[in-house]
Amino acid sequence: MLGSLVTRLRRPEYTGENRCLPCTVLNVGIASVGATLVGAWLVAAGFPTAATGVATGALAVSLSAIWLRGYLVPGTPTLTRRYLPASVLAAFGKTPESSPEGITAGADGGADAAVDDGTDERDGPGAADGEVEPVDPEALLERADAIEPCRGDDRCLTAAFERAWHGEIEAVAAADDLGPWLERFGLEDGEVTTKELGNSFAVSVDGRRVGSWESRPAFEADLAGAKLLGERIPEWASLSARERGQVCNGLRIFLETCPGCGEPVSFGTETVESCCTSRTVAAVTCDGCGARVFESPVDDEVAA
């Protein structure tokens, strides 16, 4: 009975890895002040003996609600998103560009771009001392004969690469051991576990979280893409896991067929709301199964 009650009260979209720290801190403060005021009122009313017990009980119930639901005061996520200053959100790692799970979908590649090794850029060939050359996904994809000019100034997957990519995606989806693909992506082989977190797909290897993707099909597409690109780009081995994620993420924008259900994909923009922020994103979504295979923040002016 207690278990079913906890299940009904729990709000997974606002707890666990989805928990909004600003919301939690704000509500814990409200609960503490409220419990203190209840105790003070009871003392003033002539019930000092009961004051401590009642105040402690009120605080315990409030903290339990925050633990189960992520907040105590109804509407806190909306109020936090609307009125909390950006500087306060930034202090908790909740900038307007970030998602509920801290995913840098699209911008840094591979959603969370696999392992964050602290390097977003690399020393490029011929770079001067102290300078770094950022990875250019489109240039690397063109060199790999993965994309080519089409429809004027646009770029499209080459027919040969598209066939090979979808074939490799099928192999990844059917594999019991993802070791060969993890290695090409710059990750160590190990036991892979996955977890759905709101609008993201979190992946861990041997218990260590290595990144988040928009969906399982997006994750499988990146592993398959890394395998093929590793065979076509000579300097692939010198790229960090994050940089490989950037390139694979850039590759997914060219998908025209869903890697999960094989149906066409649609491109559009929408507003994504988290506990603390809302943002406009460009998204590629599978028409048949609804899987999100690409997502990237865009400026409001672009979305309009």
Side-chain angles (χ1 to χ4, degrees):
M1 171 122 183
L2 179 60
S4 61
L5 178 62
V6 169
T7 301
R8 287 200 303 270
L9 292 176
R10 189 183 299 277
R11 297 290 300 275
E13 65 269 32
Y14 296 124
T15 57
E17 295 191 43
N18 291 331
R19 183 177 296 278
C20 173
L21 288 180
C23 294
T24 301
V25 170
L26 176 63
N27 280 266
V28 168
I30 292 173
S32 300
V33 171
T36 300
L37 291 177
V38 168
W41 179 79
L42 287 173
V43 171
F47 302 99
T49 303
T52 300
V54 172
T56 301
L59 181 61
V61 171
S62 298
L63 293 179
S64 297
I66 296 171
W67 175 67
L68 287 171
R69 300 177 61 82
Y71 57 89
L72 175 64
V73 180
T76 297
T78 300
L79 295 174
T80 302
R81 180 168 56 244
R82 184 173 301 169
Y83 297 113
L84 208 60
S87 58
V88 176
L89 293 175
F92 288 93
K94 296 289 182 178
T95 58
E97 291 76 20
S98 66
S99 72
E101 299 78 33
I103 298 172
T104 51
D108 287 329
D112 198 21
V115 174
D116 181 359
D117 57 7
T119 59
D120 290 327
E121 297 176 321
R122 63 185 174 87
D123 293 331
D129 291 343
E131 296 181 359
V132 290
E133 180 182 335
V135 172
D136 185 343
E138 187 169 302
L140 289 175
L141 293 175
E142 286 186 336
R143 286 175 48 201
D145 292 326
I147 60 174
E148 62 184 358
C150 69
R151 298 190 293 266
D153 294 333
D154 288 345
R155 297 288 186 275
C156 299
L157 292 173
T158 63
F161 188 88
E162 184 174 23
R163 287 193 301 270
W165 192 16
H166 281 284
E168 197 68 34
I169 290 172
E170 292 179 2
V172 171
D176 294 326
D177 178 16
L178 295 179
W181 291 279
L182 291 173
E183 182 180 356
R184 289 286 189 167
F185 205 71
L187 303 175
E188 294 182 0
D189 188 8
E191 181 182 359
V192 178
T193 55
T194 62
K195 183 179 181 181
E196 298 285 347
L197 295 173
N199 295 324
S200 71
F201 180 77
V203 179
S204 299
V205 178
D206 289 336
R208 178 191 177 195
R209 180 165 169 173
V210 298
S212 300
W213 280 256
E214 294 86 340
S215 62
R216 177 183 289 274
F219 169 64
E220 293 174 347
D222 275 8
L223 289 188
K227 174 71 158 48
L228 295 177
L229 294 174
E231 298 169 351
R232 296 166 178 242
I233 300 175
E235 65 268 35
W236 186 258
S238 67
L239 299 180
S240 69
R242 177 169 292 275
E243 291 164 338
R244 297 182 197 191
Q246 288 178 312
V247 179
C248 291
N249 187 79
L251 179 62
R252 269 187 280 121
I253 191 62
F254 298 102
L255 279 168
E256 295 186 0
T257 303
C258 180
C261 60
E263 296 294 322
V265 299
S266 296
F267 175 85
T269 60
E270 64 180 64
T271 299
V272 177
E273 294 187 347
S274 71
C275 65
C276 300
T277 63
S278 61
R279 61 198 176 107
T280 302
V281 300
V284 178
T285 307
C286 300
D287 294 342
C289 58
R292 180 67 52 83
V293 294
F294 178 86
E295 183 178 292
S296 178
V298 297
D299 295 333
D300 291 337
E301 293 79 4
V302 174

